[in-house]
Amino acid sequence: MENILSILIFFPVVAAVFIMIFSKSGKFAMWSAFIASVIEFILTIPLMTNFDKGSAGMQFVERYYWIRSLNIDYYLGVDGISILMVFLTTFLSAIAILGSFTYIQKRQKEFYVSMLVLEAAMVGVFCALDFFLFYIFWEAMLIPMYLIIGVWGGQRRIYAAVKFFLYTLAGSVFMMLAIIALYFKYGSMTGEYTFDILKISAMGAQFPLGFQIIVFLAFFFGFAIKVPMFPFHTWLPDAHVEAPTAGSVILAGVLLKMGTYGFLRFCLPITPIASIKFVPLVAILSVIAIIYGGLVAMVQEDVKKLVAYSSVSHMGFVTLGIYAFNQSGIEGGILQMFNHGIITGALFLLIGLIYERTHTRLIADYGGIAAKVPVYATVFLIFTMASVALPSMGGFIGEFLVLVGAFKAFPTYAGLAALGVIVSAVYMLWMYQRVFFQSVNPNLHHLDDMTVREVFYMIPLIIVVFWTGMYPETFTSYMHESVKALVEQLNAVSVAMK
């Protein structure tokens, strides 16, 4: 298991270079990328099986001197919070690449190279324990996603790509300023200038309140855009609608989680006093996102945009759980990050494959297709039910834990957030009724059902959705100790403030 994290980060890059050099056809690039992504996923299995669930600390740690003059190290590690995100990244990347085989017809080599480089950067974000290294991976991630949207997207792809890039870049600037401020403040207080995330986190409660508030707001702005939280969400529907299916899967499945991961890894431990003081603000914005996102989703005519706005609502549950500052809420938030990646990723795959057949995403252009494509209708129903948090499915467990934690911390906000569960059922089931039942659109009489390949890549997603719903301990057991340590740190700060 030595250097396993470095292998996970750089193997997709090596595969991308291999494709760039040796690929003579789109088919070769396509299959090479898929095989590489499957190998990448397989490499995460020993990471999961050898992880010590009884430890709250970082594991599989790698540390090497890099830029000694600034105390910058190549420093990697995972704990119970980040390991699930690494697993989610490699799992969804393989499925997204397999799902892209039929609709990427131009510049196939460049597309699959972009997907592999994006995967490497995403894994790096979740493994980095040095702020400088983290920032490099964070910024590196923007370039391939910008290209995926801007080159292989829809008619307004340039607009959507530029909007995505500018919003995220604006957040990154504030995050960079916060990192620099921490570097100098920690150095002035200890005499050691470092970008070590763990050392700075351990010192978090000792930073002055005014400094914490400034750093918190800078981090918050960067991460809130990425989530995206209300009112920083406007880039998301455009990016989703214009992105190719694989881009939407990765965007919803992994990239949005980096914002909430940032809250957990940086805001809570590094600025704990400021985080506690800003709980009402975050809770209010989360509740607004849950209800507003659901109401806006309800009136969408484009099914892809509907699912995009549903992400705003579902990610509101994640931030609400995280800022409950208790075991149930934070574990529910992390589990919901994982569940949302699986469920929404699957919905975007399903929307993409029907779009390939009909070349429309307007709900009004469908109707009655359940009789024509029964397998597709069944699979779509499974993920519709998972999205509305039906018991026995992963979405239910995540939202239930979030609401339990939220009711302990702030009952009023939790009660309002619970309304979002009803709203999500309304817009998802109403969408399903209009697309799959009622009268059949005469233009869809010759619609083909799912192929073997399409069923093949949906089965793992179905298994994970039910597995998470019926045996959530399989996943929550990884995070128990890490979350417990974080909650104890926050409780100690809260007691000291009184």
Side-chain angles (χ1 to χ4, degrees), residues 255-289:
L255 262 64
L256 304 190
K257 312 306 176 292
M258 291 178 180
T260 46
Y261 174 77
F263 289 138
L264 287 164
R265 181 64 74 219
F266 304 129
C267 289
L268 270 58
I270 294 176
T271 58
I273 301 174
S275 295
I276 291 170
K277 289 189 175 296
F278 279 99
V279 162
L281 172 65
V282 178
I284 290 170
L285 292 178
S286 298
V287 170
I288 292 173

mmCIF file of all heavy atoms in Angstrom, residues 255-289:
data_model
loop_
_atom_site.group_PDB
_atom_site.id
_atom_site.type_symbol
_atom_site.label_atom_id
_atom_site.label_comp_id
_atom_site.label_asym_id
_atom_site.label_seq_id
_atom_site.Cartn_x
_atom_site.Cartn_y
_atom_site.Cartn_z
ATOM 1 N N LEU A 255 -17.708 17.339 -8.307
ATOM 2 C CA LEU A 255 -17.233 18.717 -8.149
ATOM 3 C C LEU A 255 -18.019 19.491 -7.102
ATOM 4 O O LEU A 255 -17.435 20.273 -6.340
ATOM 5 C CB LEU A 255 -17.264 19.451 -9.493
ATOM 6 C CG LEU A 255 -15.917 19.507 -10.228
ATOM 7 C CD1 LEU A 255 -15.461 18.109 -10.613
ATOM 8 C CD2 LEU A 255 -15.986 20.393 -11.455
ATOM 9 N N LEU A 256 -19.335 19.296 -7.044
ATOM 10 C CA LEU A 256 -20.113 20.020 -6.044
ATOM 11 C C LEU A 256 -19.703 19.627 -4.627
ATOM 12 O O LEU A 256 -19.787 20.432 -3.691
ATOM 13 C CB LEU A 256 -21.617 19.745 -6.224
ATOM 14 C CG LEU A 256 -22.246 20.043 -7.584
ATOM 15 C CD1 LEU A 256 -23.757 19.951 -7.477
ATOM 16 C CD2 LEU A 256 -21.838 21.411 -8.109
ATOM 17 N N LYS A 257 -19.250 18.376 -4.463
ATOM 18 C CA LYS A 257 -18.881 17.887 -3.130
ATOM 19 C C LYS A 257 -17.609 18.553 -2.609
ATOM 20 O O LYS A 257 -17.339 18.521 -1.406
ATOM 21 C CB LYS A 257 -18.663 16.368 -3.161
ATOM 22 C CG LYS A 257 -19.769 15.597 -3.865
ATOM 23 C CD LYS A 257 -21.135 15.924 -3.301
ATOM 24 C CE LYS A 257 -22.253 15.240 -4.042
ATOM 25 N NZ LYS A 257 -22.490 15.679 -5.404
ATOM 26 N N MET A 258 -16.837 19.132 -3.509
ATOM 27 C CA MET A 258 -15.598 19.771 -3.073
ATOM 28 C C MET A 258 -15.880 21.009 -2.227
ATOM 29 O O MET A 258 -15.091 21.361 -1.348
ATOM 30 C CB MET A 258 -14.747 20.128 -4.289
ATOM 31 C CG MET A 258 -14.212 18.887 -4.963
ATOM 32 S SD MET A 258 -13.253 19.253 -6.407
ATOM 33 C CE MET A 258 -12.823 17.581 -6.906
ATOM 34 N N GLY A 259 -16.998 21.667 -2.474
ATOM 35 C CA GLY A 259 -17.372 22.804 -1.647
ATOM 36 C C GLY A 259 -17.701 22.384 -0.229
ATOM 37 O O GLY A 259 -17.197 22.961 0.742
ATOM 38 N N THR A 260 -18.548 21.371 -0.083
ATOM 39 C CA THR A 260 -18.910 20.906 1.255
ATOM 40 C C THR A 260 -17.716 20.233 1.933
ATOM 41 O O THR A 260 -17.561 20.323 3.158
ATOM 42 C CB THR A 260 -20.098 19.932 1.182
ATOM 43 O OG1 THR A 260 -19.895 18.976 0.133
ATOM 44 C CG2 THR A 260 -21.379 20.689 0.894
ATOM 45 N N TYR A 261 -16.862 19.567 1.155
ATOM 46 C CA TYR A 261 -15.635 19.000 1.709
ATOM 47 C C TYR A 261 -14.750 20.112 2.274
ATOM 48 O O TYR A 261 -14.130 19.966 3.333
ATOM 49 C CB TYR A 261 -14.887 18.225 0.633
ATOM 50 C CG TYR A 261 -13.525 17.713 1.065
ATOM 51 C CD1 TYR A 261 -13.410 16.591 1.883
ATOM 52 C CD2 TYR A 261 -12.360 18.360 0.655
ATOM 53 C CE1 TYR A 261 -12.161 16.134 2.288
ATOM 54 C CE2 TYR A 261 -11.109 17.903 1.044
ATOM 55 C CZ TYR A 261 -11.020 16.793 1.859
ATOM 56 O OH TYR A 261 -9.777 16.346 2.252
ATOM 57 N N GLY A 262 -14.712 21.253 1.591
ATOM 58 C CA GLY A 262 -13.928 22.389 2.063
ATOM 59 C C GLY A 262 -14.431 22.912 3.399
ATOM 60 O O GLY A 262 -13.635 23.270 4.285
ATOM 61 N N PHE A 263 -15.768 22.946 3.571
ATOM 62 C CA PHE A 263 -16.312 23.349 4.869
ATOM 63 C C PHE A 263 -15.819 22.417 5.979
ATOM 64 O O PHE A 263 -15.422 22.867 7.059
ATOM 65 C CB PHE A 263 -17.849 23.323 4.834
ATOM 66 C CG PHE A 263 -18.461 24.416 4.013
ATOM 67 C CD1 PHE A 263 -19.534 24.148 3.184
ATOM 68 C CD2 PHE A 263 -17.979 25.717 4.066
ATOM 69 C CE1 PHE A 263 -20.122 25.153 2.425
ATOM 70 C CE2 PHE A 263 -18.556 26.728 3.316
ATOM 71 C CZ PHE A 263 -19.626 26.442 2.491
ATOM 72 N N LEU A 264 -15.865 21.113 5.700
ATOM 73 C CA LEU A 264 -15.470 20.123 6.705
ATOM 74 C C LEU A 264 -13.975 20.156 6.998
ATOM 75 O O LEU A 264 -13.553 20.064 8.156
ATOM 76 C CB LEU A 264 -15.858 18.720 6.221
ATOM 77 C CG LEU A 264 -17.343 18.367 6.255
ATOM 78 C CD1 LEU A 264 -17.623 17.140 5.409
ATOM 79 C CD2 LEU A 264 -17.801 18.138 7.684
ATOM 80 N N ARG A 265 -13.164 20.275 5.973
ATOM 81 C CA ARG A 265 -11.717 20.169 6.128
ATOM 82 C C ARG A 265 -11.077 21.472 6.597
ATOM 83 O O ARG A 265 -10.075 21.450 7.324
ATOM 84 C CB ARG A 265 -11.087 19.742 4.792
ATOM 85 C CG ARG A 265 -9.587 19.573 4.784
ATOM 86 C CD ARG A 265 -9.111 18.447 5.701
ATOM 87 N NE ARG A 265 -9.405 17.153 5.133
ATOM 88 C CZ ARG A 265 -9.824 16.110 5.841
ATOM 89 N NH1 ARG A 265 -10.007 16.231 7.142
ATOM 90 N NH2 ARG A 265 -10.067 14.953 5.270
ATOM 91 N N PHE A 266 -11.659 22.625 6.224
ATOM 92 C CA PHE A 266 -11.014 23.900 6.505
ATOM 93 C C PHE A 266 -11.818 24.804 7.439
ATOM 94 O O PHE A 266 -11.323 25.213 8.479
ATOM 95 C CB PHE A 266 -10.710 24.647 5.199
ATOM 96 C CG PHE A 266 -9.887 23.851 4.237
ATOM 97 C CD1 PHE A 266 -10.269 23.695 2.918
ATOM 98 C CD2 PHE A 266 -8.724 23.227 4.650
ATOM 99 C CE1 PHE A 266 -9.507 22.951 2.029
ATOM 100 C CE2 PHE A 266 -7.949 22.480 3.772
ATOM 101 C CZ PHE A 266 -8.347 22.340 2.465
ATOM 102 N N CYS A 267 -13.061 25.132 7.063
ATOM 103 C CA CYS A 267 -13.817 26.113 7.852
ATOM 104 C C CYS A 267 -14.030 25.660 9.296
ATOM 105 O O CYS A 267 -13.778 26.428 10.238
ATOM 106 C CB CYS A 267 -15.165 26.381 7.185
ATOM 107 S SG CYS A 267 -15.049 27.332 5.655
ATOM 108 N N LEU A 268 -14.495 24.432 9.490
ATOM 109 C CA LEU A 268 -14.823 23.990 10.844
ATOM 110 C C LEU A 268 -13.599 23.869 11.753
ATOM 111 O O LEU A 268 -13.600 24.415 12.859
ATOM 112 C CB LEU A 268 -15.605 22.674 10.795
ATOM 113 C CG LEU A 268 -17.130 22.812 10.718
ATOM 114 C CD1 LEU A 268 -17.564 23.613 9.507
ATOM 115 C CD2 LEU A 268 -17.793 21.432 10.702
ATOM 116 N N PRO A 269 -12.534 23.166 11.345
ATOM 117 C CA PRO A 269 -11.393 23.041 12.257
ATOM 118 C C PRO A 269 -10.489 24.277 12.329
ATOM 119 O O PRO A 269 -9.920 24.555 13.388
ATOM 120 C CB PRO A 269 -10.622 21.840 11.687
ATOM 121 C CG PRO A 269 -10.970 21.792 10.240
ATOM 122 C CD PRO A 269 -12.371 22.306 10.145
ATOM 123 N N ILE A 270 -10.339 25.025 11.242
ATOM 124 C CA ILE A 270 -9.398 26.145 11.221
ATOM 125 C C ILE A 270 -10.030 27.423 11.774
ATOM 126 O O ILE A 270 -9.349 28.222 12.433
ATOM 127 C CB ILE A 270 -8.859 26.374 9.794
ATOM 128 C CG1 ILE A 270 -8.012 25.164 9.356
ATOM 129 C CG2 ILE A 270 -8.031 27.654 9.716
ATOM 130 C CD1 ILE A 270 -7.523 25.238 7.933
ATOM 131 N N THR A 271 -11.318 27.632 11.532
ATOM 132 C CA THR A 271 -12.008 28.820 12.054
ATOM 133 C C THR A 271 -13.225 28.375 12.865
ATOM 134 O O THR A 271 -14.365 28.729 12.530
ATOM 135 C CB THR A 271 -12.436 29.748 10.901
ATOM 136 O OG1 THR A 271 -13.298 29.021 10.004
ATOM 137 C CG2 THR A 271 -11.234 30.253 10.118
ATOM 138 N N PRO A 272 -13.034 27.634 13.949
ATOM 139 C CA PRO A 272 -14.175 27.059 14.678
ATOM 140 C C PRO A 272 -15.058 28.104 15.353
ATOM 141 O O PRO A 272 -16.290 27.961 15.342
ATOM 142 C CB PRO A 272 -13.496 26.145 15.710
ATOM 143 C CG PRO A 272 -12.125 26.694 15.887
ATOM 144 C CD PRO A 272 -11.741 27.243 14.552
ATOM 145 N N ILE A 273 -14.453 29.152 15.940
ATOM 146 C CA ILE A 273 -15.266 30.166 16.624
ATOM 147 C C ILE A 273 -16.113 30.923 15.606
ATOM 148 O O ILE A 273 -17.322 31.137 15.806
ATOM 149 C CB ILE A 273 -14.367 31.134 17.418
ATOM 150 C CG1 ILE A 273 -13.547 30.369 18.465
ATOM 151 C CG2 ILE A 273 -15.214 32.206 18.100
ATOM 152 C CD1 ILE A 273 -12.527 31.229 19.196
ATOM 153 N N ALA A 274 -15.492 31.328 14.501
ATOM 154 C CA ALA A 274 -16.239 32.023 13.448
ATOM 155 C C ALA A 274 -17.328 31.115 12.869
ATOM 156 O O ALA A 274 -18.442 31.577 12.586
ATOM 157 C CB ALA A 274 -15.289 32.477 12.348
ATOM 158 N N SER A 275 -17.015 29.823 12.688
ATOM 159 C CA SER A 275 -18.001 28.883 12.157
ATOM 160 C C SER A 275 -19.222 28.804 13.065
ATOM 161 O O SER A 275 -20.365 28.786 12.588
ATOM 162 C CB SER A 275 -17.373 27.496 12.000
ATOM 163 O OG SER A 275 -16.343 27.499 11.034
ATOM 164 N N ILE A 276 -18.986 28.771 14.389
ATOM 165 C CA ILE A 276 -20.099 28.711 15.344
ATOM 166 C C ILE A 276 -20.935 29.980 15.262
ATOM 167 O O ILE A 276 -22.173 29.933 15.286
ATOM 168 C CB ILE A 276 -19.556 28.490 16.773
ATOM 169 C CG1 ILE A 276 -18.962 27.081 16.899
ATOM 170 C CG2 ILE A 276 -20.656 28.699 17.804
ATOM 171 C CD1 ILE A 276 -18.191 26.830 18.171
ATOM 172 N N LYS A 277 -20.286 31.119 15.141
ATOM 173 C CA LYS A 277 -21.011 32.389 15.090
ATOM 174 C C LYS A 277 -21.816 32.549 13.802
ATOM 175 O O LYS A 277 -22.821 33.263 13.774
ATOM 176 C CB LYS A 277 -20.034 33.555 15.255
ATOM 177 C CG LYS A 277 -19.476 33.675 16.676
ATOM 178 C CD LYS A 277 -18.697 34.946 16.863
ATOM 179 C CE LYS A 277 -18.254 35.108 18.321
ATOM 180 N NZ LYS A 277 -19.402 35.256 19.251
ATOM 181 N N PHE A 278 -21.364 31.892 12.730
ATOM 182 C CA PHE A 278 -22.073 32.021 11.455
ATOM 183 C C PHE A 278 -23.064 30.888 11.203
ATOM 184 O O PHE A 278 -23.613 30.785 10.098
ATOM 185 C CB PHE A 278 -21.065 32.096 10.294
ATOM 186 C CG PHE A 278 -20.475 33.459 10.098
ATOM 187 C CD1 PHE A 278 -19.226 33.787 10.607
ATOM 188 C CD2 PHE A 278 -21.181 34.443 9.414
ATOM 189 C CE1 PHE A 278 -18.681 35.044 10.436
ATOM 190 C CE2 PHE A 278 -20.647 35.710 9.225
ATOM 191 C CZ PHE A 278 -19.391 36.017 9.746
ATOM 192 N N VAL A 279 -23.309 30.050 12.213
ATOM 193 C CA VAL A 279 -24.270 28.955 12.049
ATOM 194 C C VAL A 279 -25.647 29.457 11.603
ATOM 195 O O VAL A 279 -26.244 28.894 10.667
ATOM 196 C CB VAL A 279 -24.377 28.121 13.347
ATOM 197 C CG1 VAL A 279 -25.657 27.273 13.341
ATOM 198 C CG2 VAL A 279 -23.172 27.202 13.487
ATOM 199 N N PRO A 280 -26.215 30.510 12.237
ATOM 200 C CA PRO A 280 -27.543 30.965 11.780
ATOM 201 C C PRO A 280 -27.573 31.355 10.300
ATOM 202 O O PRO A 280 -28.535 31.028 9.591
ATOM 203 C CB PRO A 280 -27.830 32.178 12.688
ATOM 204 C CG PRO A 280 -27.008 31.927 13.902
ATOM 205 C CD PRO A 280 -25.758 31.256 13.416
ATOM 206 N N LEU A 281 -26.529 32.043 9.840
ATOM 207 C CA LEU A 281 -26.488 32.457 8.436
ATOM 208 C C LEU A 281 -26.467 31.242 7.522
ATOM 209 O O LEU A 281 -27.244 31.165 6.546
ATOM 210 C CB LEU A 281 -25.260 33.322 8.172
ATOM 211 C CG LEU A 281 -24.997 33.674 6.699
ATOM 212 C CD1 LEU A 281 -26.117 34.539 6.147
ATOM 213 C CD2 LEU A 281 -23.645 34.359 6.530
ATOM 214 N N VAL A 282 -25.592 30.279 7.806
ATOM 215 C CA VAL A 282 -25.481 29.085 6.957
ATOM 216 C C VAL A 282 -26.776 28.286 7.000
ATOM 217 O O VAL A 282 -27.245 27.778 5.975
ATOM 218 C CB VAL A 282 -24.282 28.215 7.380
ATOM 219 C CG1 VAL A 282 -24.219 26.957 6.518
ATOM 220 C CG2 VAL A 282 -22.981 28.993 7.269
ATOM 221 N N ALA A 283 -27.384 28.171 8.180
ATOM 222 C CA ALA A 283 -28.640 27.425 8.300
ATOM 223 C C ALA A 283 -29.750 28.081 7.482
ATOM 224 O O ALA A 283 -30.516 27.399 6.786
ATOM 225 C CB ALA A 283 -29.045 27.324 9.774
ATOM 226 N N ILE A 284 -29.840 29.413 7.547
ATOM 227 C CA ILE A 284 -30.861 30.126 6.769
ATOM 228 C C ILE A 284 -30.641 29.934 5.273
ATOM 229 O O ILE A 284 -31.584 29.636 4.519
ATOM 230 C CB ILE A 284 -30.853 31.628 7.134
ATOM 231 C CG1 ILE A 284 -31.390 31.826 8.546
ATOM 232 C CG2 ILE A 284 -31.686 32.438 6.133
ATOM 233 C CD1 ILE A 284 -31.189 33.239 9.082
ATOM 234 N N LEU A 285 -29.384 30.098 4.818
ATOM 235 C CA LEU A 285 -29.086 29.915 3.392
ATOM 236 C C LEU A 285 -29.358 28.480 2.954
ATOM 237 O O LEU A 285 -29.809 28.246 1.824
ATOM 238 C CB LEU A 285 -27.623 30.290 3.112
ATOM 239 C CG LEU A 285 -27.256 31.773 3.244
ATOM 240 C CD1 LEU A 285 -25.773 31.975 2.977
ATOM 241 C CD2 LEU A 285 -28.093 32.619 2.290
ATOM 242 N N SER A 286 -29.106 27.516 3.833
ATOM 243 C CA SER A 286 -29.354 26.111 3.506
ATOM 244 C C SER A 286 -30.843 25.844 3.342
ATOM 245 O O SER A 286 -31.271 25.165 2.398
ATOM 246 C CB SER A 286 -28.777 25.200 4.606
ATOM 247 O OG SER A 286 -27.383 25.352 4.708
ATOM 248 N N VAL A 287 -31.642 26.383 4.256
ATOM 249 C CA VAL A 287 -33.096 26.199 4.173
ATOM 250 C C VAL A 287 -33.650 26.868 2.922
ATOM 251 O O VAL A 287 -34.513 26.307 2.219
ATOM 252 C CB VAL A 287 -33.780 26.752 5.439
ATOM 253 C CG1 VAL A 287 -35.297 26.781 5.261
ATOM 254 C CG2 VAL A 287 -33.413 25.900 6.651
ATOM 255 N N ILE A 288 -33.155 28.064 2.618
ATOM 256 C CA ILE A 288 -33.593 28.746 1.390
ATOM 257 C C ILE A 288 -33.247 27.899 0.170
ATOM 258 O O ILE A 288 -34.068 27.740 -0.747
ATOM 259 C CB ILE A 288 -32.946 30.142 1.280
ATOM 260 C CG1 ILE A 288 -33.488 31.072 2.357
ATOM 261 C CG2 ILE A 288 -33.195 30.750 -0.108
ATOM 262 C CD1 ILE A 288 -32.792 32.418 2.430
ATOM 263 N N ALA A 289 -32.022 27.354 0.151
ATOM 264 C CA ALA A 289 -31.606 26.519 -0.978
ATOM 265 C C ALA A 289 -32.500 25.299 -1.119
ATOM 266 O O ALA A 289 -32.885 24.919 -2.238
ATOM 267 C CB ALA A 289 -30.146 26.085 -0.800
#
